[in-house]
Amino acid sequence: MKSTPEHAAIGLRADQIDTPAAVIDLDAMERNIQRMAAFARRHRVRWRPHAKMHKSAAIALLLEQAGACGHCVQKTSEAEALAAGGVHDLFISNEVIAPAKLLRVARLAARLAADGGRLAIAVDSPEGIARLAGAMDAAGSGAGIDVFVEIDVGQGRCGVPPGPEAAALARAVAARPRLRFAGLHAYQGGAQHLRAAAERRAAIAHAVHAAAGTRALIEAAGLPVPLVTGAGTGTLVHEATSGVYGELQAGSFLFMDSDYAANEPDAAQPAFEHALFIKTQVISTHPAHAVCDAGHKSHAIDSGLPLVHGLAPAHAGPQARLPALGQALWLVPGHCDPTVNLHDRLLGVRGGLEHGVVVERVIEVDARGALT
């Protein structure tokens, strides 16, 4: 059963928010958006934030109002949920193979096109291209879909090797009447949390070289490559200044998390702030530890335990003074994406976390549990 209905949450002070709760510092989030928009304008690149991080149509529309050209999603159901909320330019930056899902993709492409929107998808195999083309034909709408060939630029997950194999896939896409070759999807996810700035720079230099070489090979055969898209919050400055990438897919910049906070800062990178917090309360105290009410059902731990906001790690050892029974704490999640997916809604507060904060809005997590 969903808790904290919207009408009951708006207007609450910070000390009145029931725990555990996912809370957005709206001021910090808006500063992050402004910095990202200014960065993209300065470097003359498009930005298409990844919605798997916030899973909210309201936030997606807010980002688009600030200049985002659309949104990435990772699942067909995420695309459907955002489209239902009014987001009309979407890129499924992942492979979809199941025939039933591909038929949903084709139907969504038709609905978005009818509303003046656009759907794109990634492929990395001849079979995937054939199945997508078959689904588009079976849908019978006459609509087309933009298709990016995904190349593996170091992530070691999806994507074909850069070079001739990718070029062959680009030609196969272009040969299908309802598929439009839109360019290369070249995301280096493994570089985002390399701790040293020099390591991240070197990893993206490799990705840029691979993407540029593949683009040149495709264009040499007479097929234009409209766009190279990729980049994440940890490396976006390198893709933006590469002269190869035309679109940034960074999403975590909006909220940030403790894992990103562990990266060595890069002076050229915008300084993004923590904006997503889990409010919790101490429910039990003992001589050597305290227990709060925000457990694994409130925050993800795949990237480590959360940090306590305002508590420096050096003072979090066994000699630290423990919080008192009933004391409220603000946690910075280890990984924002799966943490958001644990909540039905996010409470947006204005004026900081500590002094008389009022809940200004409640943001529904529209694509929570959108896994298919």
mmCIF file of all heavy atoms in Angstrom, residues 155-194:
data_model
loop_
_atom_site.group_PDB
_atom_site.id
_atom_site.type_symbol
_atom_site.label_atom_id
_atom_site.label_comp_id
_atom_site.label_asym_id
_atom_site.label_seq_id
_atom_site.Cartn_x
_atom_site.Cartn_y
_atom_site.Cartn_z
ATOM 1 N N GLN A 155 33.068 -0.762 -22.018
ATOM 2 C CA GLN A 155 32.155 -1.170 -20.959
ATOM 3 C C GLN A 155 32.183 -2.681 -20.740
ATOM 4 O O GLN A 155 32.015 -3.161 -19.632
ATOM 5 C CB GLN A 155 30.729 -0.709 -21.315
ATOM 6 C CG GLN A 155 29.637 -1.285 -20.442
ATOM 7 C CD GLN A 155 29.193 -0.355 -19.352
ATOM 8 O OE1 GLN A 155 29.877 0.608 -19.044
ATOM 9 N NE2 GLN A 155 28.062 -0.634 -18.758
ATOM 10 N N GLY A 156 32.360 -3.442 -21.840
ATOM 11 C CA GLY A 156 32.377 -4.895 -21.722
ATOM 12 C C GLY A 156 31.015 -5.487 -21.458
ATOM 13 O O GLY A 156 30.899 -6.535 -20.815
ATOM 14 N N ARG A 157 29.971 -4.832 -21.966
ATOM 15 C CA ARG A 157 28.625 -5.341 -21.742
ATOM 16 C C ARG A 157 27.969 -5.509 -23.113
ATOM 17 O O ARG A 157 28.324 -6.404 -23.865
ATOM 18 C CB ARG A 157 27.837 -4.401 -20.819
ATOM 19 C CG ARG A 157 26.559 -5.004 -20.267
ATOM 20 C CD ARG A 157 25.999 -4.207 -19.102
ATOM 21 N NE ARG A 157 25.634 -2.844 -19.472
ATOM 22 C CZ ARG A 157 25.190 -1.932 -18.616
ATOM 23 N NH1 ARG A 157 25.103 -2.237 -17.326
ATOM 24 N NH2 ARG A 157 24.860 -0.728 -19.011
ATOM 25 N N CYS A 158 27.010 -4.656 -23.472
ATOM 26 C CA CYS A 158 26.403 -4.742 -24.805
ATOM 27 C C CYS A 158 27.281 -4.037 -25.834
ATOM 28 O O CYS A 158 28.229 -3.340 -25.501
ATOM 29 C CB CYS A 158 25.012 -4.109 -24.794
ATOM 30 S SG CYS A 158 23.810 -4.972 -23.747
ATOM 31 N N GLY A 159 26.928 -4.214 -27.108
ATOM 32 C CA GLY A 159 27.641 -3.537 -28.182
ATOM 33 C C GLY A 159 28.574 -4.448 -28.940
ATOM 34 O O GLY A 159 29.139 -5.391 -28.388
ATOM 35 N N VAL A 160 28.731 -4.153 -30.232
ATOM 36 C CA VAL A 160 29.684 -4.893 -31.068
ATOM 37 C C VAL A 160 31.032 -4.190 -31.026
ATOM 38 O O VAL A 160 31.114 -3.012 -30.658
ATOM 39 C CB VAL A 160 29.192 -4.992 -32.531
ATOM 40 C CG1 VAL A 160 27.946 -5.838 -32.613
ATOM 41 C CG2 VAL A 160 28.953 -3.615 -33.125
ATOM 42 N N PRO A 161 32.102 -4.883 -31.396
ATOM 43 C CA PRO A 161 33.403 -4.220 -31.424
ATOM 44 C C PRO A 161 33.397 -3.053 -32.410
ATOM 45 O O PRO A 161 32.739 -3.118 -33.455
ATOM 46 C CB PRO A 161 34.360 -5.328 -31.889
ATOM 47 C CG PRO A 161 33.664 -6.602 -31.556
ATOM 48 C CD PRO A 161 32.206 -6.329 -31.721
ATOM 49 N N PRO A 162 34.087 -1.982 -32.096
ATOM 50 C CA PRO A 162 34.204 -0.881 -33.050
ATOM 51 C C PRO A 162 34.861 -1.367 -34.341
ATOM 52 O O PRO A 162 35.662 -2.305 -34.329
ATOM 53 C CB PRO A 162 35.106 0.122 -32.328
ATOM 54 C CG PRO A 162 35.034 -0.259 -30.889
ATOM 55 C CD PRO A 162 34.824 -1.735 -30.851
ATOM 56 N N GLY A 163 34.497 -0.749 -35.461
ATOM 57 C CA GLY A 163 35.135 -1.107 -36.723
ATOM 58 C C GLY A 163 34.207 -1.786 -37.703
ATOM 59 O O GLY A 163 33.016 -1.464 -37.774
ATOM 60 N N PRO A 164 34.719 -2.743 -38.471
ATOM 61 C CA PRO A 164 33.944 -3.324 -39.573
ATOM 62 C C PRO A 164 32.620 -3.963 -39.166
ATOM 63 O O PRO A 164 31.629 -3.856 -39.888
ATOM 64 C CB PRO A 164 34.902 -4.371 -40.154
ATOM 65 C CG PRO A 164 36.269 -3.888 -39.787
ATOM 66 C CD PRO A 164 36.114 -3.239 -38.449
ATOM 67 N N GLU A 165 32.579 -4.637 -38.013
ATOM 68 C CA GLU A 165 31.336 -5.289 -37.606
ATOM 69 C C GLU A 165 30.240 -4.249 -37.350
ATOM 70 O O GLU A 165 29.083 -4.434 -37.729
ATOM 71 C CB GLU A 165 31.572 -6.137 -36.356
ATOM 72 C CG GLU A 165 30.398 -7.046 -36.001
ATOM 73 C CD GLU A 165 30.727 -8.004 -34.871
ATOM 74 O OE1 GLU A 165 31.915 -8.159 -34.517
ATOM 75 O OE2 GLU A 165 29.775 -8.600 -34.323
ATOM 76 N N ALA A 166 30.617 -3.156 -36.715
ATOM 77 C CA ALA A 166 29.648 -2.083 -36.479
ATOM 78 C C ALA A 166 29.213 -1.440 -37.792
ATOM 79 O O ALA A 166 28.039 -1.102 -37.980
ATOM 80 C CB ALA A 166 30.253 -1.033 -35.556
ATOM 81 N N ALA A 167 30.157 -1.273 -38.716
ATOM 82 C CA ALA A 167 29.821 -0.692 -40.015
ATOM 83 C C ALA A 167 28.836 -1.572 -40.780
ATOM 84 O O ALA A 167 27.908 -1.069 -41.435
ATOM 85 C CB ALA A 167 31.091 -0.473 -40.822
ATOM 86 N N ALA A 168 29.018 -2.877 -40.680
ATOM 87 C CA ALA A 168 28.097 -3.798 -41.349
ATOM 88 C C ALA A 168 26.690 -3.683 -40.761
ATOM 89 O O ALA A 168 25.689 -3.722 -41.491
ATOM 90 C CB ALA A 168 28.606 -5.228 -41.232
ATOM 91 N N LEU A 169 26.594 -3.514 -39.442
ATOM 92 C CA LEU A 169 25.285 -3.351 -38.822
ATOM 93 C C LEU A 169 24.634 -2.037 -39.264
ATOM 94 O O LEU A 169 23.414 -1.983 -39.483
ATOM 95 C CB LEU A 169 25.405 -3.379 -37.298
ATOM 96 C CG LEU A 169 25.732 -4.729 -36.654
ATOM 97 C CD1 LEU A 169 25.701 -4.585 -35.125
ATOM 98 C CD2 LEU A 169 24.759 -5.811 -37.087
ATOM 99 N N ALA A 170 25.424 -0.982 -39.379
ATOM 100 C CA ALA A 170 24.875 0.301 -39.833
ATOM 101 C C ALA A 170 24.269 0.155 -41.229
ATOM 102 O O ALA A 170 23.176 0.674 -41.504
ATOM 103 C CB ALA A 170 25.960 1.368 -39.819
ATOM 104 N N ARG A 171 24.956 -0.561 -42.105
ATOM 105 C CA ARG A 171 24.425 -0.768 -43.464
ATOM 106 C C ARG A 171 23.161 -1.626 -43.424
ATOM 107 O O ARG A 171 22.210 -1.385 -44.181
ATOM 108 C CB ARG A 171 25.491 -1.424 -44.345
ATOM 109 C CG ARG A 171 26.688 -0.519 -44.635
ATOM 110 C CD ARG A 171 27.563 -1.096 -45.738
ATOM 111 N NE ARG A 171 28.164 -2.375 -45.363
ATOM 112 C CZ ARG A 171 29.319 -2.502 -44.725
ATOM 113 N NH1 ARG A 171 30.004 -1.418 -44.371
ATOM 114 N NH2 ARG A 171 29.809 -3.699 -44.434
ATOM 115 N N ALA A 172 23.129 -2.611 -42.518
ATOM 116 C CA ALA A 172 21.943 -3.460 -42.400
ATOM 117 C C ALA A 172 20.741 -2.668 -41.915
ATOM 118 O O ALA A 172 19.607 -2.887 -42.370
ATOM 119 C CB ALA A 172 22.233 -4.622 -41.454
ATOM 120 N N VAL A 173 20.956 -1.735 -40.990
ATOM 121 C CA VAL A 173 19.864 -0.870 -40.527
ATOM 122 C C VAL A 173 19.350 -0.011 -41.673
ATOM 123 O O VAL A 173 18.140 0.087 -41.926
ATOM 124 C CB VAL A 173 20.328 0.017 -39.353
ATOM 125 C CG1 VAL A 173 19.278 1.088 -39.056
ATOM 126 C CG2 VAL A 173 20.614 -0.812 -38.110
ATOM 127 N N ALA A 174 20.279 0.619 -42.386
ATOM 128 C CA ALA A 174 19.902 1.530 -43.467
ATOM 129 C C ALA A 174 19.148 0.822 -44.591
ATOM 130 O O ALA A 174 18.391 1.465 -45.333
ATOM 131 C CB ALA A 174 21.146 2.219 -44.021
ATOM 132 N N ALA A 175 19.341 -0.480 -44.713
ATOM 133 C CA ALA A 175 18.678 -1.236 -45.781
ATOM 134 C C ALA A 175 17.220 -1.554 -45.468
ATOM 135 O O ALA A 175 16.487 -2.008 -46.359
ATOM 136 C CB ALA A 175 19.448 -2.536 -46.046
ATOM 137 N N ARG A 176 16.792 -1.327 -44.235
ATOM 138 C CA ARG A 176 15.412 -1.636 -43.838
ATOM 139 C C ARG A 176 14.554 -0.384 -43.979
ATOM 140 O O ARG A 176 14.863 0.660 -43.390
ATOM 141 C CB ARG A 176 15.375 -2.117 -42.389
ATOM 142 C CG ARG A 176 16.185 -3.386 -42.139
ATOM 143 C CD ARG A 176 15.436 -4.619 -42.626
ATOM 144 N NE ARG A 176 16.150 -5.856 -42.286
ATOM 145 C CZ ARG A 176 15.601 -7.049 -42.317
ATOM 146 N NH1 ARG A 176 14.320 -7.173 -42.694
ATOM 147 N NH2 ARG A 176 16.299 -8.118 -41.992
ATOM 148 N N PRO A 177 13.453 -0.458 -44.705
ATOM 149 C CA PRO A 177 12.666 0.743 -45.010
ATOM 150 C C PRO A 177 12.158 1.505 -43.795
ATOM 151 O O PRO A 177 12.100 2.739 -43.823
ATOM 152 C CB PRO A 177 11.495 0.192 -45.851
ATOM 153 C CG PRO A 177 12.003 -1.082 -46.424
ATOM 154 C CD PRO A 177 12.932 -1.648 -45.401
ATOM 155 N N ARG A 178 11.767 0.819 -42.728
ATOM 156 C CA ARG A 178 11.193 1.514 -41.580
ATOM 157 C C ARG A 178 12.206 1.789 -40.469
ATOM 158 O O ARG A 178 11.837 2.292 -39.408
ATOM 159 C CB ARG A 178 10.003 0.723 -41.029
ATOM 160 C CG ARG A 178 8.831 0.701 -42.005
ATOM 161 C CD ARG A 178 7.595 0.124 -41.380
ATOM 162 N NE ARG A 178 6.488 0.100 -42.321
ATOM 163 C CZ ARG A 178 5.294 -0.408 -42.079
ATOM 164 N NH1 ARG A 178 5.056 -0.941 -40.896
ATOM 165 N NH2 ARG A 178 4.343 -0.387 -42.985
ATOM 166 N N LEU A 179 13.444 1.437 -40.715
ATOM 167 C CA LEU A 179 14.502 1.721 -39.749
ATOM 168 C C LEU A 179 15.365 2.848 -40.285
ATOM 169 O O LEU A 179 15.835 2.801 -41.425
ATOM 170 C CB LEU A 179 15.355 0.476 -39.489
ATOM 171 C CG LEU A 179 14.627 -0.824 -39.117
ATOM 172 C CD1 LEU A 179 15.656 -1.884 -38.704
ATOM 173 C CD2 LEU A 179 13.598 -0.615 -38.019
ATOM 174 N N ARG A 180 15.594 3.857 -39.460
ATOM 175 C CA ARG A 180 16.445 4.989 -39.845
ATOM 176 C C ARG A 180 17.751 4.903 -39.061
ATOM 177 O O ARG A 180 17.732 4.959 -37.817
ATOM 178 C CB ARG A 180 15.743 6.315 -39.538
ATOM 179 C CG ARG A 180 14.459 6.545 -40.334
ATOM 180 C CD ARG A 180 13.868 7.922 -40.010
ATOM 181 N NE ARG A 180 13.428 8.003 -38.626
ATOM 182 C CZ ARG A 180 12.182 7.779 -38.224
ATOM 183 N NH1 ARG A 180 11.237 7.454 -39.121
ATOM 184 N NH2 ARG A 180 11.848 7.882 -36.956
ATOM 185 N N PHE A 181 18.868 4.776 -39.763
ATOM 186 C CA PHE A 181 20.150 4.746 -39.072
ATOM 187 C C PHE A 181 20.412 6.128 -38.486
ATOM 188 O O PHE A 181 20.531 7.118 -39.201
ATOM 189 C CB PHE A 181 21.273 4.334 -40.019
ATOM 190 C CG PHE A 181 22.639 4.406 -39.389
ATOM 191 C CD1 PHE A 181 22.948 3.633 -38.287
ATOM 192 C CD2 PHE A 181 23.610 5.269 -39.894
ATOM 193 C CE1 PHE A 181 24.201 3.705 -37.682
ATOM 194 C CE2 PHE A 181 24.866 5.339 -39.315
ATOM 195 C CZ PHE A 181 25.161 4.559 -38.203
ATOM 196 N N ALA A 182 20.494 6.194 -37.144
ATOM 197 C CA ALA A 182 20.598 7.484 -36.457
ATOM 198 C C ALA A 182 22.000 7.788 -35.950
ATOM 199 O O ALA A 182 22.269 8.915 -35.523
ATOM 200 C CB ALA A 182 19.619 7.524 -35.284
ATOM 201 N N GLY A 183 22.896 6.776 -35.964
ATOM 202 C CA GLY A 183 24.249 7.025 -35.509
ATOM 203 C C GLY A 183 24.768 5.921 -34.611
ATOM 204 O O GLY A 183 24.298 4.774 -34.668
ATOM 205 N N LEU A 184 25.735 6.271 -33.761
ATOM 206 C CA LEU A 184 26.418 5.305 -32.904
ATOM 207 C C LEU A 184 26.126 5.600 -31.432
ATOM 208 O O LEU A 184 26.181 6.756 -30.991
ATOM 209 C CB LEU A 184 27.933 5.363 -33.127
ATOM 210 C CG LEU A 184 28.415 4.989 -34.532
ATOM 211 C CD1 LEU A 184 29.919 5.239 -34.646
ATOM 212 C CD2 LEU A 184 28.085 3.535 -34.859
ATOM 213 N N HIS A 185 25.822 4.537 -30.711
ATOM 214 C CA HIS A 185 25.663 4.604 -29.260
ATOM 215 C C HIS A 185 26.957 4.081 -28.659
ATOM 216 O O HIS A 185 27.300 2.905 -28.818
ATOM 217 C CB HIS A 185 24.466 3.749 -28.852
ATOM 218 C CG HIS A 185 24.262 3.609 -27.376
ATOM 219 N ND1 HIS A 185 24.375 4.666 -26.497
ATOM 220 C CD2 HIS A 185 23.920 2.524 -26.619
ATOM 221 C CE1 HIS A 185 24.118 4.241 -25.275
ATOM 222 N NE2 HIS A 185 23.841 2.949 -25.314
ATOM 223 N N ALA A 186 27.701 4.973 -27.976
ATOM 224 C CA ALA A 186 29.050 4.630 -27.507
ATOM 225 C C ALA A 186 29.213 5.082 -26.055
ATOM 226 O O ALA A 186 29.886 6.078 -25.763
ATOM 227 C CB ALA A 186 30.100 5.286 -28.400
ATOM 228 N N TYR A 187 28.609 4.344 -25.148
ATOM 229 C CA TYR A 187 28.609 4.711 -23.726
ATOM 230 C C TYR A 187 29.641 3.875 -22.981
ATOM 231 O O TYR A 187 29.600 2.639 -23.037
ATOM 232 C CB TYR A 187 27.213 4.483 -23.138
ATOM 233 C CG TYR A 187 27.150 4.662 -21.632
ATOM 234 C CD1 TYR A 187 27.467 5.885 -21.051
ATOM 235 C CD2 TYR A 187 26.766 3.612 -20.802
ATOM 236 C CE1 TYR A 187 27.405 6.052 -19.671
ATOM 237 C CE2 TYR A 187 26.694 3.772 -19.424
ATOM 238 C CZ TYR A 187 27.020 4.996 -18.867
ATOM 239 O OH TYR A 187 26.962 5.152 -17.503
ATOM 240 N N GLN A 188 30.540 4.540 -22.279
ATOM 241 C CA GLN A 188 31.560 3.856 -21.482
ATOM 242 C C GLN A 188 31.170 3.930 -20.004
ATOM 243 O O GLN A 188 31.656 4.762 -19.245
ATOM 244 C CB GLN A 188 32.926 4.520 -21.708
ATOM 245 C CG GLN A 188 34.120 3.577 -21.782
ATOM 246 C CD GLN A 188 34.332 2.679 -20.550
ATOM 247 O OE1 GLN A 188 33.437 2.385 -19.781
ATOM 248 N NE2 GLN A 188 35.539 2.222 -20.387
ATOM 249 N N GLY A 189 30.260 3.048 -19.605
ATOM 250 C CA GLY A 189 29.778 3.073 -18.233
ATOM 251 C C GLY A 189 30.837 2.718 -17.214
ATOM 252 O O GLY A 189 30.820 3.225 -16.086
ATOM 253 N N GLY A 190 31.775 1.852 -17.590
ATOM 254 C CA GLY A 190 32.801 1.436 -16.652
ATOM 255 C C GLY A 190 33.735 2.544 -16.237
ATOM 256 O O GLY A 190 34.422 2.435 -15.210
ATOM 257 N N ALA A 191 33.773 3.621 -17.009
ATOM 258 C CA ALA A 191 34.681 4.730 -16.688
ATOM 259 C C ALA A 191 34.100 5.688 -15.659
ATOM 260 O O ALA A 191 34.836 6.506 -15.097
ATOM 261 C CB ALA A 191 35.015 5.507 -17.963
ATOM 262 N N GLN A 192 32.797 5.611 -15.394
ATOM 263 C CA GLN A 192 32.150 6.642 -14.588
ATOM 264 C C GLN A 192 32.651 6.680 -13.154
ATOM 265 O O GLN A 192 32.680 7.742 -12.526
ATOM 266 C CB GLN A 192 30.624 6.446 -14.607
ATOM 267 C CG GLN A 192 30.008 6.429 -15.994
ATOM 268 C CD GLN A 192 30.464 7.593 -16.847
ATOM 269 O OE1 GLN A 192 30.412 8.742 -16.422
ATOM 270 N NE2 GLN A 192 30.938 7.295 -18.051
ATOM 271 N N HIS A 193 33.056 5.539 -12.623
ATOM 272 C CA HIS A 193 33.464 5.490 -11.224
ATOM 273 C C HIS A 193 34.922 5.085 -11.053
ATOM 274 O O HIS A 193 35.312 4.625 -9.971
ATOM 275 C CB HIS A 193 32.538 4.563 -10.438
ATOM 276 C CG HIS A 193 31.117 5.051 -10.413
ATOM 277 N ND1 HIS A 193 30.706 6.090 -9.612
ATOM 278 C CD2 HIS A 193 30.030 4.672 -11.120
ATOM 279 C CE1 HIS A 193 29.421 6.316 -9.810
ATOM 280 N NE2 HIS A 193 28.986 5.470 -10.721
ATOM 281 N N LEU A 194 35.703 5.248 -12.111
ATOM 282 C CA LEU A 194 37.147 5.172 -11.911
ATOM 283 C C LEU A 194 37.530 6.349 -11.024
ATOM 284 O O LEU A 194 37.190 7.503 -11.312
ATOM 285 C CB LEU A 194 37.882 5.240 -13.250
ATOM 286 C CG LEU A 194 37.654 4.054 -14.198
ATOM 287 C CD1 LEU A 194 38.304 4.322 -15.555
ATOM 288 C CD2 LEU A 194 38.192 2.765 -13.596
#
